[in-house]
Amino acid sequence: MNYISTRGHISNKSFNEILLSGLAPDGGLYLPASWPHFNKDELIRMGELPYPDLAFSIMTPFVGNELSDEVLINILQDAYSAENFSEIAPLNRISESEYLLELFHGPTLAFKDMAMQFLGPLFDYVLKDKGKRATIIGATSGDTGSAAIEACKNRDNIDIFILYPHGRISDIQRYQMTTVNAKNVKCIALDGTFDDCQDLVKAIFNDHNFSSKYNLVAINSINWGRILAQIVYYFWAALKFNINEHPVSFSVPTGNFGNVLAGYFAKKLGLPIKQLIVGSNRNDILTRFLRTGVMELTEVYSTNTPSMDIQISSNFERFLYLLNEQNGRKVSALMDQFRRTGKFTIESETFKEVRKVFDGDSFDDTETSFMIREIFEKHNNIIDPHTAVGIAAARSKREDIAIPMISLATAHAAKFSDTVKAATGLIPELPEHLRDLRKRKETFTRLPNNLSSVKDFLTDTLSNTL
Ligand SMILES: *Cc1c(COP(=O)(O)O)cnc(C)c1O
């Protein structure tokens, strides 16, 4: 399989090349050049497979000859082992034809583990095979950082640096990163906001000398490997139903548009999906777009669903590329316009295509808390606020009550215990392996919000390990 960039200037890249990189050199995101299609018979057979084998069937065409079958299945079996996941994506019924797909049973209690637990060992294998080292640098508003650290800690060929905004993430999120204490992991508490962290990471990647000297790799959802791994659980959930009789629908709480985009790709691969519903908090750029066809930036608000406090959904560019018949020039023009003016509009024919599959709705903090309480009181299930936004969107926008609606549960309630306690009166308990989290020793480096301090810290640390 070859990979191309959404801006149209890069093509013929291999899976392993794009896996160990960031943005394409033309500023675009990587996508496969062609798409396999699974027919109904194949899908039915895939429904019988254990999770790692299902992942193997879906990923093989995308990986091509870059990894042997044996290597790929071994990595998948280790990634989705009982040691890493107490359960793998269980599907629970909450009411008549309404389901929750629980993606939070991994080491850091958010759905990001589902992809990251696969990506960490995969990076390490490919690097060892090539005799290379890589440096992962990422910014986090909470969940991505801990999932990446947990997946990459103690790996021989990887150094990982995570920047987070000092004093602006939850205690649990911070402890999950700062108490890992592995020698290849560095947590940077930046005196700034999440956007400052993100801007610094971008600036470091844009320094091409620095980037190639230290072999920088992106870990946020612009990395194709993450999206690919996320496609799998859409199949896993949908194939629990009789897809010969009816399709299924999904609802997904969304920030960077990474998770729900994986659902769109699952549909593209042949999975019968009727509706893909997007749930937003007050940062509703995507749900406004789904009403109007206009993507328009506003300021970022802080909400009780902090993992979705995002205005620019980077992964939307991949969707835009497919919508515009893989026309990289058109995508470049739209993205340029967006950067200059904070706004772009898509053509009405294209918008109709979008609305055939996608719908969405946004909810403020009060509505989100209300949904947490409702699910607790009526269905005796304690959900996290992000999951609540997804369920609220599903209930608001579902078209056909006969079609199963699967809401993605993206985090464990204990990760956002203050909001959950306020809504239900109960304090959700952390799972066993994290019970003593607050007692563990923290290690982090506090740095001022400027590029040279961060770069100096990276250079000093890396010159000691090389
Ligand atoms: C990251 C995250 C999201 C948003 O996922 P995207 O792929 O950015 O759309 C939603 N919920 C939780 C709990 C998250 O950690």
Side-chain angles (χ1 to χ4, degrees), residues 369-417:
S369 294
F370 183 81
M371 187 53 70
I372 297 174
R373 182 156 71 239
E374 165 132 334
I375 296 295
F376 173 59
E377 284 175 352
K378 294 220 176 104
H379 311 291
N380 199 27
N381 196 333
I382 299 201
I383 55 169
D384 105 286
H386 302 80
T387 305
V389 168
I391 296 177
R395 290 186 172 182
S396 150
K397 293 296 175 185
R398 77 184 294 186
E399 280 166 2
D400 185 347
I401 201 81
I403 290 173
M405 172 61 72
I406 303 166
S407 288
L408 269 46
T410 52
H412 192 292
K415 238 183 152 163
F416 301 94
S417 55

Side-chain angles (χ1 to χ4, degrees), residues 94 98-100 250-256 259-260 276-287 290 302-310 359-375 382-398 405-411 416 419-420 423:
I94 35 178
E98 196 183 26
Y99 298 81
L100 260 192
F250 288 93
S251 181
V252 187
T254 301
N256 237 328
N259 200 0
V260 73
L276 283 168
I277 296 174
V278 167
S280 298
N281 59 26
R282 226 183 130 195
N283 299 292
D284 62 349
I285 183 166
L286 281 169
T287 46
L290 289 170
S302 290
T303 71
N304 61 8
T305 46
S307 304
M308 314 197 296
D309 289 346
I310 287 176
D359 206 340
D361 207 349
S362 74
F363 300 90
D364 65 20
D365 284 7
T366 313
E367 292 168 316
T368 301
S369 294
F370 183 81
M371 187 53 70
I372 297 174
R373 182 156 71 239
E374 165 132 334
I375 296 295
I382 299 201
I383 55 169
D384 105 286
H386 302 80
T387 305
V389 168
I391 296 177
R395 290 186 172 182
S396 150
K397 293 296 175 185
R398 77 184 294 186
M405 172 61 72
I406 303 166
S407 288
L408 269 46
T410 52
F416 301 94
T419 303
V420 174

Side-chain angles (χ1 to χ4, degrees), residues 191-365:
D191 285 317
T193 63
F194 169 66
D195 287 335
D196 295 329
C197 295
Q198 187 104 295
D199 286 347
L200 286 175
V201 170
K202 275 190 196 144
I204 294 165
F205 270 88
N206 277 334
D207 178 341
H208 295 291
N209 284 330
F210 193 92
S211 174
S212 62
K213 179 168 178 196
Y214 295 110
N215 202 11
L216 301 191
V217 175
I219 196 71
N220 59 0
S221 59
I222 66 167
N223 192 308
W224 167 250
R226 280 187 61 184
I227 307 281
L228 178 60
Q230 288 169 359
I231 293 173
V232 179
Y233 49 72
Y234 286 90
F235 278 74
W236 174 254
L239 297 177
K240 301 261 180 286
F241 296 89
N242 185 349
I243 53 155
N244 273 328
E245 276 176 17
H246 55 73
V248 300
S249 292
F250 288 93
S251 181
V252 187
T254 301
N256 237 328
F257 202 68
N259 200 0
V260 73
L261 183 67
Y264 179 73
F265 291 156
K267 181 176 168 66
K268 201 168 166 54
L269 294 174
L271 196 67
I273 295 176
K274 180 90 168 82
Q275 279 186 287
L276 283 168
I277 296 174
V278 167
S280 298
N281 59 26
R282 226 183 130 195
N283 299 292
D284 62 349
I285 183 166
L286 281 169
T287 46
R288 272 185 288 122
F289 168 79
L290 289 170
R291 269 201 313 276
T292 58
V294 183
M295 189 72 91
E296 187 172 15
L297 216 54
T298 58
E299 65 181 294
V300 182
Y301 302 103
S302 290
T303 71
N304 61 8
T305 46
S307 304
M308 314 197 296
D309 289 346
I310 287 176
Q311 277 286 335
I312 302 181
S313 306
S314 340
N315 263 300
F316 194 82
E317 181 167 342
R318 287 189 161 115
F319 183 46
L320 209 53
Y321 181 74
L322 295 177
L323 281 177
N324 287 288
E325 274 113 29
Q326 320 219 15
N327 183 337
R329 242 195 0 230
K330 217 162 164 182
V331 172
S332 290
L334 285 172
M335 296 315 294
D336 275 349
Q337 192 191 348
F338 190 54
R339 209 188 43 224
R340 276 198 328 272
T341 65
K343 184 172 168 177
F344 69 79
T345 306
I346 61 167
E347 288 155 21
S348 65
E349 281 309 304
T350 317
F351 185 54
K352 270 190 206 141
E353 286 302 307
V354 175
R355 287 304 311 267
K356 275 187 194 160
V357 190
F358 280 95
D359 206 340
D361 207 349
S362 74
F363 300 90
D364 65 20
D365 284 7

Side-chain angles (χ1 to χ4, degrees), residues 29-225:
L29 280 73
Y30 288 113
L31 273 178
S34 59
W35 293 84
H37 191 87
F38 299 104
N39 64 33
K40 277 265 163 75
D41 290 341
E42 288 170 311
L43 290 174
I44 302 289
R45 278 198 298 278
M46 288 160 89
E48 307 286 314
L49 299 174
Y51 197 91
D53 300 72
L54 175 64
F56 179 82
S57 314
I58 295 166
M59 290 179 181
T60 302
F62 293 102
V63 172
N65 299 322
E66 294 283 294
L67 301 170
S68 74
D69 286 359
E70 197 190 344
V71 165
L72 182 59
I73 192 73
N74 281 339
I75 293 176
L76 287 165
Q77 277 168 351
D78 288 348
Y80 301 107
S81 65
E83 204 176 298
N84 294 337
F85 290 89
S86 57
E87 289 178 88
I88 297 179
L91 189 67
N92 284 329
R93 211 178 77 130
I94 35 178
S95 70
E96 185 66 34
S97 81
E98 196 183 26
Y99 298 81
L100 260 192
L101 180 64
E102 296 183 359
L103 302 172
F104 55 74
H105 296 287
T108 72
L109 314 183
F111 84 92
K112 285 165 177 104
D113 288 328
M114 295 295 294
M116 222 69 97
Q117 284 294 309
F118 163 67
L119 228 51
L122 179 63
F123 282 163
D124 210 35
Y125 175 84
V126 174
L127 288 167
K128 275 185 183 146
D129 196 46
K130 290 185 175 172
K132 280 189 172 174
R133 283 189 78 76
T135 308
I136 292 173
I137 302 183
T140 189
S141 58
D143 297 332
T144 304
S146 57
I149 288 172
E150 204 54 48
C152 297
K153 67 181 183 188
N154 299 321
R155 297 201 181 275
D156 299 334
N157 296 40
I158 299 175
D159 293 292
I160 175 164
F161 296 84
I162 297 291
L163 283 80
Y164 65 87
H166 182 72
R168 291 171 198 256
I169 61 174
S170 81
D171 284 356
I172 291 195
Q173 288 175 325
R174 192 188 71 243
Y175 279 116
Q176 281 186 313
M177 295 192 279
T178 57
T179 62
V180 169
N181 290 327
K183 77 175 192 318
N184 70 331
V185 173
K186 296 282 179 241
C187 297
I188 299 173
L190 193 88
D191 285 317
T193 63
F194 169 66
D195 287 335
D196 295 329
C197 295
Q198 187 104 295
D199 286 347
L200 286 175
V201 170
K202 275 190 196 144
I204 294 165
F205 270 88
N206 277 334
D207 178 341
H208 295 291
N209 284 330
F210 193 92
S211 174
S212 62
K213 179 168 178 196
Y214 295 110
N215 202 11
L216 301 191
V217 175
I219 196 71
N220 59 0
S221 59
I222 66 167
N223 192 308
W224 167 250

